[in-house]
Amino acid sequence: MTRPGNRHDKLVRDNLLDLEDHHLLRIESVQEDQRQVWVLTTRGHGEAKQLLEPKGIRVSALRKQEYAPDTGELLGTGYDDHAAAVTSTAAELHRAGIGHRLGFQTEIGHRLGNSFVQRADLVVRAPEAGVPVLLVEVDRRTEDAHELVAKLRRYWEWGRLLPKDAAKNKVDLVRSRPDAIEHVDHDKRLWRRFYPPTGREGLVPLAFVFADTTEAKVANTVKVLEEDGRACWAPRRYDSLYEKAITARDYTKTVPVVVTTLEQLQEHGAGAAVWRRLGREHEQTLTDALDNPDGHALRRAQEARASAEDKQRRAAEREAQRPACTRCGWKFTDERWEESTVNRTAVRAGDKSVCGPCRADDIARQEAATEAARLAAAAPEPEDDPELVRGRGWFRRRA
């Protein structure tokens, strides 16, 4: 893990032996393949804390050397095989460029509301590889499949918790309505105090790595995880005005879960397509498995397309209802249509069966007739011709 490019481990072994001479390390056990499991001593653990914790790097719990009082055998030997599998998983991730040497932490606790602490076997931080954070659970088939489902449910519940200093109105709302937490932004939740944004929808992703088991047992375990843990990992349908047109899924309330085996990691590498996302059929690379191509981005695209199609449909329906002029046959303009239908303007619309230009011709004719009548009424009457008026003296004037 520390020197993945070396063809042999002599340099690493020499350093381990030197640290052992200074009582900072000790050999915990020797595996069947002659690999040695090294752990920190009490003194080494104290020095490691002084070196790493000021830099914000947490150190795992001290592995105490305890023996059975009756037989004198070392207690907790099952820890050795599990610890070796966890370290091998971290080594394969590191070898693939997923996480640097100080980007791995083991046995990190996550305290639930009932004070139960769910400890992750491995926490990976590799933002440069597209994996800002990943929780890893390594199972050597020492746990029942339903216990893994319980672990998944605990991580899901932990991702829904609020911090202790959360706003009182949010705390009261969540207590009064169990589903109210789904409307609280992730930045306001407890998990964001410990881990960075994942860059994807959903809670902190979780990986199950199976070791020292068979393909049939892995398949059965994954089947149980998919069926009994569906409420925690399965996406929901989006609530949208265009429900029939939206096939995207909402991952914001789920824990992304990927599975693989240590044997696949060692044979093909952690950067290969050896990770399978729950709910999907094929194996992918880790970043592809964690991505949500049918998530929020697809929803935005589908809603935009559905909105444009709906707008075109409504425009076509409106155009089909547009009235035509009974005089010239032309379609009404929007202004004339509104003028002839809106109550406040319909009284001044005149003949509602004619279009705007024809209505303008009617108004022009009416104005011309009105003006002609006005001029006729204002014209002076002609004076009487005295020659035409016969009266007294008419003949005399004629003479």
Side-chain angles (χ1 to χ4, degrees), residues 142-309:
T142 57
E143 296 178 287
D144 185 75
H146 296 284
E147 176 58 28
L148 299 184
V149 174
K151 283 187 176 183
L152 169 59
R153 186 175 295 111
R154 293 187 198 113
Y155 285 118
W156 178 73
E157 292 174 354
W158 183 76
R160 294 163 61 89
L161 294 178
L162 291 175
K164 291 184 178 180
D165 58 350
K168 186 177 183 302
N169 60 338
K170 281 187 171 54
V171 175
D172 294 340
L173 180 62
V174 171
R175 287 177 178 174
S176 62
R177 290 174 46 201
D179 63 336
I181 187 64
E182 297 179 354
H183 304 286
V184 177
D185 191 70
H186 286 277
D187 290 337
K188 306 296 183 181
R189 301 189 191 183
L190 176 64
W191 74 267
R192 281 290 286 107
R193 302 289 181 90
F194 295 90
Y195 300 121
T198 62
R200 303 173 176 90
E201 305 102 298
L203 304 173
V204 182
L206 175 64
F208 285 103
V209 179
F210 302 99
D212 303 328
T213 184
T214 63
E215 293 184 2
K217 290 182 178 179
V218 172
N220 292 334
T221 302
V222 171
K223 183 178 180 181
V224 173
L225 280 170
E226 287 186 323
E227 293 178 355
D228 295 355
R230 177 170 295 274
C232 302
W233 65 261
R236 282 80 163 171
R237 291 185 62 89
Y238 275 108
D239 293 331
S240 176
L241 296 174
Y242 314 103
E243 184 175 352
K244 294 182 179 180
I246 303 299
T247 61
R249 292 294 182 264
D250 183 6
Y251 290 88
T252 57
K253 308 174 183 65
T254 64
V255 175
V257 181
V258 295
V259 297
T260 189
T261 64
L262 181 56
E263 289 74 20
Q264 284 182 301
L265 296 179
Q266 293 173 337
E267 181 179 358
H268 304 288
V274 296
W275 305 86
R276 185 169 86 80
R277 176 85 170 259
L278 292 191
R280 300 179 187 174
E281 297 182 358
H282 305 291
E283 294 175 334
Q284 302 172 286
T285 62
L286 181 57
T287 52
D288 289 344
L290 294 176
D291 288 340
N292 303 312
D294 58 342
H296 187 61
L298 178 61
R299 178 201 178 186
R300 290 201 307 267
Q302 289 181 333
E303 280 194 338
R305 183 164 56 250
S307 177
E309 292 175 354

Side-chain angles (χ1 to χ4, degrees), residues 87-98:
T87 303
S88 297
T89 301
E92 295 302 330
L93 290 168
H94 177 59
R95 185 177 290 112
I98 304 174

Side-chain angles (χ1 to χ4, degrees), residues 341-387:
T341 54
V342 177
N343 291 335
R344 59 184 175 82
T345 58
V347 295
R348 302 189 302 272
D351 187 355
K352 299 182 182 63
S353 64
V354 298
C355 63
C358 292
R359 170 61 179 162
D361 293 343
D362 291 345
I363 294 175
R365 283 193 295 270
Q366 291 175 1
E367 292 178 349
T370 302
E371 182 65 17
R374 185 186 67 81
L375 293 176
E381 295 183 359
E383 295 182 358
D384 295 335
D385 188 353
E387 296 293 330

